[in-house]
Amino acid sequence: MADRIDNDEDGVWLHCSNSAIRRAGRQLGQLYDDAMGDSGLKGTQFSLLSQIRLLGAPSLKTLANAMVMDLSALGHTLKPLLRDGLVELVPDEQDRRVKRVRLTPLGRAKQKEVAARWKKAQRRFDEVFGEDRSVELRRTLALISSPEFAKAFATTGGDPS
């Protein structure tokens, strides 16, 4: 093909950061989902339960921002957790229009149970990828997912066309 970037069969993955991160994310997501086993949770749901546990009883907006999700995607991901009684929505004490999400006792127990599986998967990742590289990767991805990076990206380079 005349318009190929280079002769490397996977050349596009080497030249497009977005495609490479998405591809790696899908692969890693599948590996971590497999590690969740028969827990009934996917990796994204475990991450959400863990983030809620970390934040206490965050507002939906705060949780969406922490997960780098829009409110619609958050709502979609929360539905099975609400249905299964792992989380609940409660009105904010100061502003009843604001909804907060919190773990139920069942949700706390499930998060704790699945955390052991996640830790095992994380250890395997560190062994295969290398612990130092793993730490650096998480730091890099944290930077890329930060509001500061998004702002710098949006204001750099002018017209994207």
Side-chain angles (χ1 to χ4, degrees):
M1 294 169 102
D3 55 0
R4 287 204 47 125
I5 294 172
D6 60 29
N7 292 330
D8 183 357
E9 188 174 290
D10 287 334
V12 69
W13 311 118
L14 299 176
H15 297 281
C16 178
S17 299
N18 182 48
S19 294
I21 289 172
R22 286 177 181 266
R23 185 178 190 209
R26 284 190 298 273
Q27 168 97 352
L28 201 54
Q30 290 168 2
L31 294 171
Y32 274 71
D33 282 351
D34 289 348
M36 298 298 113
D38 62 355
S39 69
L41 291 180
K42 295 217 173 267
T44 52
Q45 294 169 323
F46 170 73
S47 293
L48 196 53
L49 291 178
S50 297
Q51 191 66 49
I52 295 166
R53 181 174 174 261
L54 179 69
L55 296 172
S59 70
L60 289 172
K61 184 177 180 181
T62 297
L63 182 58
N65 288 340
M67 297 294 293
V68 191
M69 301 172 86
D70 62 44
L71 285 171
S72 174
L74 177 62
H76 178 76
T77 307
L78 279 174
K79 276 183 185 179
L81 300 175
L82 287 161
R83 178 198 66 219
D84 296 343
L86 300 175
V87 299
E88 60 187 353
L89 293 177
V90 295
D92 183 87
E93 292 181 10
Q94 307 300 320
D95 184 347
R96 310 279 295 162
R97 297 169 297 175
V98 174
K99 297 289 185 212
R100 294 193 169 275
V101 61
R102 66 181 176 202
L103 296 179
T104 63
L106 182 62
R108 281 191 294 280
K110 179 62 84 170
Q111 191 279 335
K112 185 176 181 179
E113 168 203 329
V114 178
R117 294 175 188 217
W118 171 84
K119 286 177 185 176
K120 185 176 179 183
Q122 188 60 45
R123 278 193 305 273
R124 287 197 322 244
F125 181 89
D126 290 347
E127 287 171 13
V128 171
F129 193 66
E131 194 167 339
D132 291 342
R133 289 175 65 199
S134 182
V135 168
E136 184 58 33
L137 176 65
R138 288 191 297 274
R139 283 188 184 133
T140 299
L141 293 173
L143 170 65
I144 292 169
S145 63
S146 73
E148 296 79 15
F149 184 87
K151 183 178 178 185
F153 185 91
T155 60
T156 301
D159 183 13
S161 59

